[in-house]
Amino acid sequence: MHNINFQQLSTQQALAIADGLAQAEHYDLAAQAYRSLLRAATAADQVRIRVRLGLAQAPKARTPAMLSTLHTLEAGLSGVFVGECLATWEKTLPFFEDARFIELADRHADLLPVPNWHWNLQTALWAVQKTQGVAGDFVELGVFKGHTTLFCAEYVGFADWPKRWFLYDTFDGIPEDQLDEGWAEKNKAVYSESYSFEEVRDRFAQMPNVTVVQGRVPEVLADTSPERIAFLHVDLNNSTAEVQALDVLFDRVTSGGVILFDDYGWLSSRAQRDAERAWFAARGLHILSLPTGQGLFIKD
């Protein structure tokens, strides 16, 4: 057994050791090494280390492939970022230049079992900021542990906004009669963690204008839902409930309001995309498909 003092190594030497741990799938040790390296890293090196740390903190079956992709791209390219089914290079990474963004993303990373969700969070945050002055309240359909709303609400100080945010979920998984064919088999590993209504409700206890509602969509919307909506985040993971929710809520979205579909571009969620694309096309409207897997619509 040998003792290695990272202070005696160059950044590249220490990074190579941490990468070796990650490639050997010793993710906990690799994450510890990456955190240690972050403390004294230059700004440029911090980006490379943070991307690796994100992958090591949320390991899954395809993590080795994601690490391999990262190393391959870094061999000849700059600005490399690898996240959940998304790799970018030669692009600015604005979230890594935003200390508050990174602080909150790190703080709440354990609430979402996917690595490096920064691009998706940036899109959601943009939608929240854009609709601050739009008439209406906010709605999220499909909450899981509350990760995205908590991140955005804390970032913008939503507790002080003159709006309400309604969060809807069964908190018991997707109802059997709403499951799209093949969805469960492709996504069961991601959504296998247990969570409860009480846990999520308590997570927002310090935000009196956030209301967590347990119930099945669309039925629960008849009991409690805002008459005007500025931002609608759709993440129910099934086409039946999402389209039925559009039937109920779309006309309540005010001019300038944003609808963000979390799963619109994912292959495993093709049924949702096809159903929503058809619903909008029937009204002469179109959803913008984003490389993050999200879909974006801004109402005139």
Side-chain angles (χ1 to χ4, degrees):
M1 180 69 68
H2 298 280
N3 293 321
I4 298 176
N5 185 343
F6 272 24
Q7 293 179 345
Q8 298 173 344
L9 303 175
S10 69
T11 298
Q12 295 309 310
Q13 289 172 326
L15 191 58
I17 292 173
D19 284 350
L21 289 169
Q23 289 170 321
E25 301 185 29
H26 299 305
Y27 297 120
D28 285 345
L29 288 174
Q32 291 178 42
Y34 292 137
R35 291 191 193 98
S36 177
L37 281 168
L38 270 177
R39 298 188 190 108
T42 64
D45 285 333
Q46 280 189 3
V47 171
R48 299 177 64 203
I49 296 167
R50 284 196 176 280
V51 173
R52 288 161 163 78
L53 177 58
L55 297 178
Q57 287 181 142
K60 53 202 314 181
R62 54 176 167 249
T63 298
M66 297 167 74
L67 287 166
S68 177
T69 298
L70 176 67
H71 296 146
T72 298
L73 292 173
E74 283 185 341
L77 301 167
S78 300
V80 175
F81 177 92
V82 175
E84 180 69 0
C85 298
L86 177 69
T88 62
W89 57 93
E90 302 296 345
K91 300 288 195 305
T92 59
L93 300 171
F95 35 79
F96 282 143
E97 300 171 10
D98 184 337
R100 180 157 177 77
F101 189 110
I102 292 302
E103 186 255 322
L104 290 174
D106 288 348
R107 182 192 304 173
H108 302 309
D110 63 322
L111 298 179
L112 192 69
V114 293
N116 288 342
W117 203 238
H118 301 72
W119 282 112
N120 296 67
L121 284 175
Q122 178 178 256
T123 304
L125 180 60
W126 170 87
V128 167
Q129 292 172 318
K130 184 186 187 310
T131 52
Q132 179 179 7
V134 175
D137 292 314
F138 289 4
V139 171
E140 180 171 65
L141 305 176
V143 180
F144 193 51
K145 295 184 179 182
H147 172 269
T148 299
T149 295
L150 185 62
F151 169 86
C152 292
E154 288 191 350
Y155 186 99
V156 302
F158 187 79
D160 297 323
W161 285 19
K163 288 183 181 291
R164 297 188 67 186
W165 204 330
F166 295 84
L167 313 183
Y168 300 90
D169 203 301
T170 65
F171 297 100
D172 191 32
I174 301 171
E176 288 290 331
D177 64 323
Q178 291 184 340
L179 273 172
D180 290 321
E181 184 177 356
W183 186 91
E185 290 75 13
K186 295 176 182 176
N187 294 279
K188 59 184 177 182
V190 175
Y191 295 98
S192 60
E193 297 182 46
S194 62
Y195 60 103
S196 68
F197 162 73
E198 291 78 13
E199 168 194 335
V200 177
R201 179 200 60 196
D202 293 348
R203 193 161 283 138
F204 291 93
Q206 302 305 312
M207 299 181 190
N209 54 343
V210 176
T211 301
V212 182
V213 183
Q214 183 172 22
R216 172 184 163 121
V217 174
E219 291 85 351
V220 70
L221 300 175
D223 300 326
T224 306
S225 58
E227 288 303 314
R228 296 192 299 172
I229 298 171
F231 173 50
L232 174 59
H233 188 206
V234 183
D235 189 14
L236 290 166
N237 297 123
N238 75 87
S239 57
T240 299
E242 292 191 352
V243 166
Q244 290 176 347
L246 287 171
D247 289 336
V248 175
L249 300 179
F250 182 81
D251 289 342
R252 303 187 196 181
V253 178
T254 57
S255 178
V258 172
I259 304 177
L260 183 64
F261 297 90
D262 188 70
D263 305 300
Y264 188 76
W266 294 82
L267 287 176
S268 61
S269 303
R270 183 63 184 256
Q272 291 163 245
R273 174 189 178 274
D274 289 348
E276 288 152 3
R277 186 181 184 192
W279 193 95
F280 275 77
R283 293 158 179 78
L285 304 171
H286 304 277
I287 300 170
L288 174 64
S289 185
L290 303 177
T292 56
Q294 296 159 304
L296 179 66
F297 177 80
I298 303 174
K299 196 170 186 182
D300 293 335

